[in-house]
Amino acid sequence: MNAHIETRQIPLCVDLDGTLLAADTLWEGAAIIVLRNPLMLFPMLMWLSQGKARLKHEVALRSGRMAADWPYRQAVLARLAAEKAQGRDIVLVTGAAPSVAREVEAHIGLFSSIMHSSEALNLTSSRKRDALVERFGEGGFDYMGNSRDDIAVFEASRRAIVVAPDAAAEKWRRSHDAEKLDTGKVSMLAPLKSIRVHQWAKNVLIGVPMILNHEVLHLDALVSVAIAFFAFSFLASAVYVINDLSDLANDRRHAKKRNRPLASGQMSVPTALVLVVCLTLASVSLTFLLPWKFAGVLAFYACATTAYTFVLKRKLLVDVFTLAGLYTTRIVAGAAATGTELSFWLVSFAIFFFLSLALVKRYVELHEFDNKDGGAVPGRGYLAVDFEMVGQAGVASAFTSALVLALYVHSKELQEMYTTPWALWPLCPLVLYMLLRIWMLARRGMLHEDPVVFIMRDWRSQLTMLIGALLILFGAVGPQ
């Protein structure tokens, strides 16, 4: 009984970054600021030269992050709430800037008091230990932390509770047999998940010009397409990670996107930045093995997809036209990689085909957006009331793509390229079947992923594409 009373009288002090939060407020705030304006990197370096405390203060003022934006560890919150219910004082002790600490305090509502950095003092490691010892005395507090910087505080506490530890903190915990709070399993595959390898399926479009130009059996063309595929895939993955960094607040409010590695805190911002650099370097290195025109197309794709990430995806209709253009760019890149002449008909068909798929992607988002008042969709330029209009435009684009294909089948160019051109006419209803089925699934609320990825995974779509490929083959080599 006396031991229980003694424990109740000892405050439980908890760290913020990496402990209460599955994120680092400084790294995340700094990344957001630089992504908004890359030129801010220079004043940030100047603030850092004046001390980390000054950097934290300036970043907190400019990041625009609110307390509700951070990913809180539910296991830690539950432990703190249980301890407070037993009558213990809960103290937030963080190296974060004052504004961050105060907003978290107000948002959580569990803390008896807070201790934080100032513009002149970075309250971490030995400085945090000294401040706690001065206030509560040696061994006069329990401490919950996660990192190498917290080891000095662990040593001065009565009892250490280690949360999601880094390597140094875990080594200390094992040697001192300290308590480890279970916060759930963290996947070691988080970086792999963040680059979205399944999205690489889109880049098979690079091989379309080679196939339609009947160069499938040419080894040099196959090698070029393979290199181009990975160059595009690596660059696209780098952009996915950057997009996740720039859209963290919106992702954390989304029912599904909140589970992404960065949004959930399973992957840190420094890891994400290293990943972006490595993927970009790998992509650029591969371009040296291909014609210079491919490098030009890849550079255009990089600029366009970056513009989409930071600006265009929030613009009404501009976003879907950009997406359609980015899909079509993959076909253009395939032609540049193999030196294949690009058909006007192929580009025209691709624009309308992918515009329909881009619209269905936005349609699904609007369908899942639960707002009966017709309000704005977070991070997009659409209102909930745009739902039907987007659907009508997408279905119209589907029919237009089939019309362009029909005109191509009847064109002089195709008549000269194929020995049995009439065999290609069934491609028109096949394209319509594929697109309209996707639209019907979307209308029923049964389409939950990127439509291009869906096509690559769906056996009916795969069968449709196989039949189309056989028709093209028969048209090329069949009897006249």
Side-chain angles (χ1 to χ4, degrees):
M1 184 68 175
N2 291 334
H4 180 61
I5 294 173
E6 182 182 347
T7 297
R8 286 170 48 189
Q9 292 174 344
I10 292 180
L12 173 58
C13 302
V14 58
D15 178 46
L16 181 64
D17 295 324
T19 304
L20 178 57
L21 302 182
D24 186 298
T25 55
L26 174 60
W27 271 105
E28 187 168 314
I32 294 303
I33 290 172
V34 173
L35 287 173
R36 286 187 197 141
N37 181 3
L39 295 178
M40 286 299 296
L41 179 62
F42 298 105
M44 287 175 65
L45 291 173
M46 181 187 69
W47 298 329
L48 180 59
S49 69
Q50 298 170 4
K52 199 171 181 180
R54 173 68 189 280
L55 175 65
K56 289 180 177 180
H57 175 76
E58 298 293 344
V59 167
L61 290 177
R62 292 166 173 79
S63 67
R65 281 294 188 256
M66 298 182 292
D69 292 335
W70 305 114
Y72 295 89
R73 295 192 192 276
Q74 295 306 310
V76 175
L77 286 175
R79 176 66 173 269
L80 297 181
E83 296 283 357
K84 186 175 180 64
Q86 295 296 319
R88 294 190 74 179
D89 285 339
I90 311 297
V91 183
L92 177 64
V93 189
T94 175
S99 59
V100 175
R102 286 193 289 266
E103 288 176 8
V104 170
E105 177 192 28
H107 180 70
I108 298 301
L110 291 173
F111 303 114
S112 304
S113 61
I114 59 174
M115 299 170 65
H116 50 69
S117 293
S118 65
E119 192 171 347
L121 174 68
N122 183 29
L123 194 66
T124 59
S125 192
S126 59
R127 291 176 292 276
K128 182 184 288 189
R129 177 201 61 202
D130 295 343
L132 284 171
V133 169
E134 180 180 353
R135 180 170 176 178
F136 301 114
E138 187 84 24
F141 60 93
D142 290 348
Y143 183 73
M144 190 180 290
N146 74 294
S147 70
R148 176 187 295 274
D149 284 345
D150 291 317
I151 292 177
V153 191
F154 289 150
E155 297 279 3
S157 67
R158 185 196 70 147
R159 182 184 181 194
I161 304 169
V162 184
V163 178
D166 62 16
E170 175 63 12
K171 182 179 179 180
W172 183 92
R173 186 195 71 81
R174 289 178 182 274
S175 65
H176 291 75
D177 195 27
E179 178 187 355
K180 182 177 181 179
L181 183 64
D182 183 14
T183 55
K185 187 177 181 180
V186 177
S187 173
M188 301 301 293
L189 298 179
L192 185 62
K193 184 179 178 182
S194 70
I195 67 176
R196 303 179 207 171
V197 175
H198 64 280
Q199 295 282 6
W200 291 9
K202 299 175 184 178
N203 297 324
V204 300
L205 295 170
I206 290 173
V208 169
M210 174 188 69
I211 294 171
L212 296 182
N213 206 47
H214 308 160
E215 296 180 350
V216 178
L217 300 180
H218 296 179
L219 182 59
D220 56 343
L222 287 170
V223 171
S224 295
V225 166
I227 295 172
F229 172 86
F230 284 106
F232 248 79
S233 297
F234 292 151
L235 182 61
S237 289
V239 174
Y240 290 142
V241 178
I242 293 173
N243 180 70
D244 287 350
L245 273 171
S246 68
D247 220 18
L248 278 172
N250 288 329
D251 284 354
R252 286 171 181 154
R253 299 187 189 107
H254 193 278
K256 296 177 181 177
K257 294 179 181 179
R258 68 177 60 174
N259 296 318
R260 287 177 173 175
L262 272 167
S264 64
Q266 293 187 57
M267 184 173 73
S268 67
V269 171
T271 300
L273 296 176
V274 170
L275 201 56
V276 169
V277 172
C278 291
L279 288 167
T280 303
L281 289 176
S283 176
V284 171
S285 298
L286 288 174
T287 61
F288 289 103
L289 303 175
L290 296 170
W292 66 268
K293 288 184 178 180
F294 174 81
V297 176
L298 189 64
F300 169 80
Y301 175 83
C303 294
T305 195
T306 302
Y308 174 81
T309 295
F310 294 111
V311 180
L312 302 182
K313 72 177 181 182
R314 298 176 179 85
K315 303 299 181 182
L316 177 67
L317 295 179
V318 174
D319 61 338
V320 290
F321 284 113
T322 304
L323 278 177
L326 290 174
Y327 285 129
T328 306
T329 299
R330 291 169 166 87
I331 295 177
V332 176
T338 58
T340 303
E341 184 177 354
L342 199 59
S343 165
F344 161 80
W345 293 105
L346 175 59
V347 173
S348 301
F349 166 77
I351 288 174
F352 286 106
F353 182 87
F354 292 120
L355 178 59
S356 181
L357 294 181
L359 285 163
V360 81
K361 182 176 182 179
R362 202 60 73 231
Y363 179 90
V364 169
E365 290 183 358
L366 290 170
H367 194 285
E368 294 177 345
F369 180 57
D370 185 18
N371 189 319
K372 306 302 181 184
D373 300 323
V377 179
R380 303 296 181 190
Y382 297 84
L383 304 179
V385 294
D386 298 329
F387 176 76
E388 293 297 340
M389 181 62 189
V390 170
Q392 292 167 11
V395 173
S397 296
F399 278 96
T400 304
S401 68
L403 175 61
V404 171
L405 181 58
L407 292 173
Y408 174 54
V409 171
H410 189 65
S411 69
K412 181 179 179 181
E413 293 92 328
L414 185 137
Q415 302 291 327
E416 294 175 348
M417 183 177 293
Y418 290 87
T419 59
T420 315
W422 56 265
L424 275 68
W425 276 108
L427 291 175
C428 301
L430 285 174
V431 166
L432 272 180
Y433 166 77
M434 181 186 295
L435 289 176
L436 293 181
R437 179 170 169 270
I438 288 174
W439 274 102
M440 293 183 74
L441 291 175
R443 184 66 181 87
R444 295 175 183 177
M446 298 171 64
L447 189 68
H448 304 295
E449 57 187 328
D450 186 295
V452 176
V453 175
F454 171 82
I455 288 174
M456 299 301 177
R457 292 177 171 178
D458 176 57
W459 72 266
R460 291 180 179 84
S461 298
Q462 292 171 353
L463 179 60
T464 303
M465 289 189 293
L466 176 61
I467 294 172
L470 292 175
L471 288 172
I472 292 174
L473 179 63
F474 181 76
V477 301
Q480 294 185 350

